[in-house]
Amino acid sequence: MRLTVIGTGYVGLVSAACMADMGNEVLCLDVDEGRIAALGRGVVPIHEPGLEALVERNVAAGRLAFTLDAKQAAEFGEVQFIAVSTPSGEDGSADLRQVLAAARTLGRHMPGYRVVVDKSTVPVGTADRVEAVIREELNERGVEFGFAVVSNPEFLKEGAAVEDCMRPDRIVLGVEDLRAEEIVRALYQPFLRNHDRTLVMSRRAAELTKYAANAMLATRISFMNDLARLAEEVGVDIEDVRRGIGSDPRIGYSFLYAGTGYGGSCFPKDIRALLRTGIDHGTPLRVLRAVQEVNDEQKTVLVRKAKRRLGSLRGRRFALWGLAFKPNTDDMREAPSRTVMEALWSEGASVCAYDPIAARECRRIYGERDDLSFAATMIDALRGADALMILTESKEFRSPAFEQIAAAMKTALIFDGRNLYDPAMLARHGIGYESIGRPKEGGR
């Protein structure tokens, strides 16, 4: 099948490469000349395990190509995926200008029947607006092509997006046209050889499903972080509580880890957009408002612990392990590390950071500054540090040589935002240790 993917960001590029790998011919459209030029040279602008090899293989096979030509893109694919960014507006709502611009481009140039698939995360009713914009452009041209708009939200996890795309746990299709449903089902059939995991519903239901999924996961995170505050006050280890409630099959273990809050390109933006939708429809979402408030506060929990432990932070040097919002990505959008670093700088402290992937992105964001340096290794980041703050659970952080940690630091003190270590073990090594929702040092 011939496909066009509008947008070569995270969702668009992963989806395009995976679709091409299944034998489809895929043409990607973007307005960013630098990005298209880089992709044409084989340079993948985002870090995602397995993506670079996937792009390279399918470009070489002639199944994946890139263009700046909107007319060419609209004419190419029978199925047109819209996978552009929907950033937060000033009022928290999703900014749909790129989505609607893509729809308008399609309406101006499509030569016949097209299935238009909304892959971007968009508020309820967006498919209706996309349909109206395309129809308006067709009327302007004086043509009456048939077309269908489908809502097909993505459920990709950064760091595992290629695997998620190749082996989806479900395909949500918001579709109200039988011909379009048959076409999109055929497109996804190679990904569902084991058994059909397609969920067909209305377009509006599909749009709300995407937001609801992210909202539920964010709610679990904030619930555990809120409970962790209470656990510290009553002398309970939140890890025991996590295991106790996670063993209930109605609850499960996923997204029950206390930490420094959620970040990234999805949860914060989508919570804001869903809250805005509730307000716009006279139905404030009070639980989600609390989820957002807890998360905003949780991002500074390690800085508050450091101030209580050390007093003034002026002149202090902090080692930081983990800059991205999660392991295996360079994405620092709304990452807890940014809130932590900015809070430390405001207190007069400096930071030496280590992240195996995201250091370059951090340099791009903050530029050169005297209170920020980068280390080549996790141990190098510790040299002369008054304390270490851990912000991601990267594998190499999970079982370090504690003797080396104690020897490298000016003060052997760890503020662990991911509860990676056993407090009793750290006490035996003579390392001060504070984590989230657990006894400060030693035992239970």
Side-chain angles (χ1 to χ4, degrees):
M1 198 178 296
R2 302 184 79 184
L3 315 174
T4 293
V5 177
I6 303 173
T8 58
Y10 185 82
V11 173
L13 188 57
V14 170
S15 299
C18 290
M19 292 289 183
D21 211 49
M22 290 297 174
N24 298 291
E25 296 179 59
V26 184
L27 180 64
C28 295
L29 171 69
D30 206 297
V31 297
D32 187 330
E33 294 184 19
R35 175 166 291 221
I36 292 296
L39 286 166
R41 297 193 305 271
V43 177
V44 175
I46 58 177
H47 179 87
E48 180 60 40
L51 180 59
E52 187 170 355
L54 196 64
V55 170
E56 181 180 341
R57 178 167 69 243
N58 285 283
V59 168
R63 292 189 298 265
L64 181 62
F66 307 94
T67 186
L68 294 163
D69 188 333
K71 185 175 185 293
Q72 178 193 10
E75 292 176 346
F76 182 84
E78 178 184 5
V79 180
Q80 300 269 331
F81 283 92
I82 297 177
V84 296
S85 178
T86 54
S88 292
E90 292 184 3
D91 62 354
S93 62
D95 184 340
L96 296 178
R97 283 178 293 181
Q98 293 183 53
V99 172
L100 298 179
R104 199 166 295 283
T105 295
L106 287 174
R108 287 172 181 164
H109 299 296
M110 55 193 258
Y113 181 83
R114 292 291 182 267
V115 178
V116 180
V117 181
D118 277 339
K119 202 74 176 166
S120 302
T121 300
V122 293
V124 175
T126 299
D128 298 339
R129 296 181 64 183
V130 167
E131 183 177 290
V133 166
I134 294 174
R135 197 172 302 284
E136 177 184 320
E137 290 297 326
L138 293 177
N139 290 340
E140 284 286 322
R141 293 168 57 190
V143 295
E144 295 185 6
F145 299 139
F147 69 96
V149 178
V150 176
S151 177
N152 173 220
E154 53 82 19
F155 297 95
L156 307 179
K157 299 186 296 292
E158 290 195 39
V162 172
E163 177 71 14
D164 288 345
C165 193
M166 289 296 198
R167 296 176 176 82
D169 53 22
R170 79 277 206 197
I171 301 293
V172 172
L173 293 184
V175 57
E176 294 158 14
D177 178 277
L178 183 59
R179 180 181 176 185
E181 180 183 339
E182 291 174 348
I183 289 171
V184 180
R185 276 185 177 274
L187 180 60
Y188 279 112
Q189 191 277 332
F191 298 92
L192 303 171
R193 294 288 299 276
N194 187 18
H195 65 277
D196 189 6
R197 295 180 291 280
T198 305
L199 305 173
V200 177
M201 58 189 73
S202 72
R203 297 188 309 201
R204 286 178 170 244
E207 290 163 343
L208 186 55
T209 294
K210 169 60 177 179
Y211 277 116
N214 281 353
M216 175 58 76
L217 298 176
T219 297
R220 288 169 69 98
I221 294 170
S222 282
F223 172 75
M224 290 304 291
N225 284 332
D226 214 18
L227 205 61
R229 294 171 54 242
L230 177 61
E232 289 186 8
E233 295 300 320
V234 297
V236 169
D237 189 335
I238 194 65
E239 291 297 300
D240 291 337
V241 177
R242 178 184 65 81
R243 289 191 294 271
I245 65 176
S247 61
D248 185 332
R250 297 170 300 176
I251 298 173
Y253 292 101
S254 297
F255 288 82
L256 286 186
Y257 290 90
T260 54
Y262 58 77
S265 63
C266 295
F267 286 9
K269 171 179 70 71
D270 293 352
I271 294 301
R272 287 193 291 267
L274 193 50
L275 284 168
R276 184 72 244 175
T277 298
I279 291 170
D280 290 345
H281 290 80
T283 309
L285 301 174
R286 292 168 290 180
V287 171
L288 281 191
R289 178 66 66 191
V291 167
Q292 183 184 60
E293 291 172 355
V294 169
N295 194 65
D296 290 344
E297 183 178 354
Q298 194 70 10
K299 286 185 176 182
T300 60
V301 63
L302 295 188
V303 178
R304 296 196 302 274
K305 288 177 179 287
K307 291 175 71 173
R308 285 196 297 266
R309 180 97 175 211
L310 300 173
S312 173
L313 303 185
R314 183 164 298 280
R316 301 276 191 180
R317 177 182 174 88
F318 286 87
L320 212 73
W321 285 359
L323 291 167
F325 83 98
K326 63 184 288 188
N328 298 322
T329 181
D330 61 353
D331 193 345
M332 287 186 63
R333 285 174 287 186
E334 304 203 41
S337 65
R338 299 180 65 166
T339 304
V340 167
M341 287 191 293
E342 290 163 14
L344 290 173
W345 294 331
S346 71
E347 295 286 339
S350 62
V351 171
C352 182
Y354 171 75
D355 189 293
I357 297 171
R360 178 182 297 180
E361 175 66 5
C362 190
R363 284 193 179 96
R364 185 193 68 79
I365 294 168
Y366 290 110
E368 297 295 326
R369 45 186 304 156
D370 294 338
D371 49 11
L372 174 62
S373 58
F374 299 92
T377 71
M378 52 194 278
I379 297 299
D380 286 345
L382 302 175
R383 304 195 189 285
D386 292 288
L388 163 65
M389 291 186 175
I390 302 174
L391 291 170
T392 65
E393 63 277 20
S394 293
K395 289 181 179 178
E396 64 183 297
F397 302 161
R398 296 180 187 181
S399 186
F402 293 112
E403 299 85 355
Q404 290 185 35
I405 290 177
M409 299 180 72
K410 178 180 177 182
T411 306
L413 174 61
I414 297 175
F415 296 98
D416 181 1
R418 294 298 173 184
N419 289 357
L420 296 182
Y421 310 132
D422 175 14
M425 179 185 295
L426 272 291
R428 289 195 296 272
H429 284 280
I431 298 175
Y433 184 65
E434 295 197 26
S435 50
I436 309 295
R438 302 163 76 195
K440 291 184 179 180
E441 295 180 52
R444 300 176 181 223

